[in-house]
Amino acid sequence: MFTGIIEEVGTVQRIGGGSLAIAAETVLTDVHLGDSIAVNGICLTVTSFDRHHFTADVMPETVRRTSLAELKKGSPVNLERALSLSSRLGGHIVSGHIDGTGSIRSLEKEGNALLLKVAAEPAILRGIVEKGSVAGISLTVAAVTEDDFTVSLIPHTREVTNLREKKPGSILNIETDVIGKYVEKMMQGAYTQEGSKAVPEKSALTRAFLLENGF
């Protein structure tokens, strides 16, 4: 698990052949083989390391779901070590399992903030709510429409992440709220087997049920 609070920006040294090598410093101070490190919000497993870099294997499914295919040698990547039980939960609950990608539609200044508007598919937007959270980077949603969502960035967030490199058209990894995904699944109800078909049962967890019980 992660928080979405970026610890440093590393640099891609090599990508291809099902693996990724990244130059880093902070995330290597206490690294071990098999540790999880979030790379642009993607949970990857450390397969080797030295004082200056680490490598991770990358599955085809991960490439299909994320922006990894756009990386090349020299690309900056956001890095975060897995959460420890003694850490402050300064961001959000993040699994590092990316739901899909979105593309930056616009960047617009608003006072000391920067409004970042991201276009995404309906399947992604269904899991995004106003004032809720969205990751790879821990961000709070300012607005949601039928085809995009907006987050407001403080200067610090842009300075310490690779968002400073992004522009309209750039692709971002998106992870929606993990609790919301489980609630949605429960609302759909269970499945029963009828012959060769799986048929959905009607869920007892309905809007009326939640309202009656104070939710």
Side-chain angles (χ1 to χ4, degrees), residues 99-118:
D99 294 298
T101 60
S103 61
I104 295 178
R105 180 164 282 178
S106 64
L107 295 158
E108 181 180 338
K109 276 190 167 287
E110 184 183 50
N112 69 333
L114 185 69
L115 295 178
L116 173 66
K117 183 174 289 188
V118 181

Side-chain angles (χ1 to χ4, degrees), residues 48-93:
S48 68
F49 67 91
D50 58 27
R51 291 185 301 167
H52 304 294
H53 85 286
F54 71 93
T55 62
D57 291 335
V58 180
M59 299 182 296
E61 167 68 2
T62 306
V63 176
R64 282 193 296 269
R65 290 270 188 161
T66 70
S67 64
L68 279 180
E70 294 199 334
L71 295 182
K72 57 187 179 181
K73 184 175 181 180
S75 292
V77 288
N78 297 321
L79 302 176
E80 179 193 358
R81 287 169 290 187
L83 179 67
S84 67
L85 293 179
S86 61
S87 301
R88 289 186 175 90
L89 190 61
H92 301 110
I93 298 173

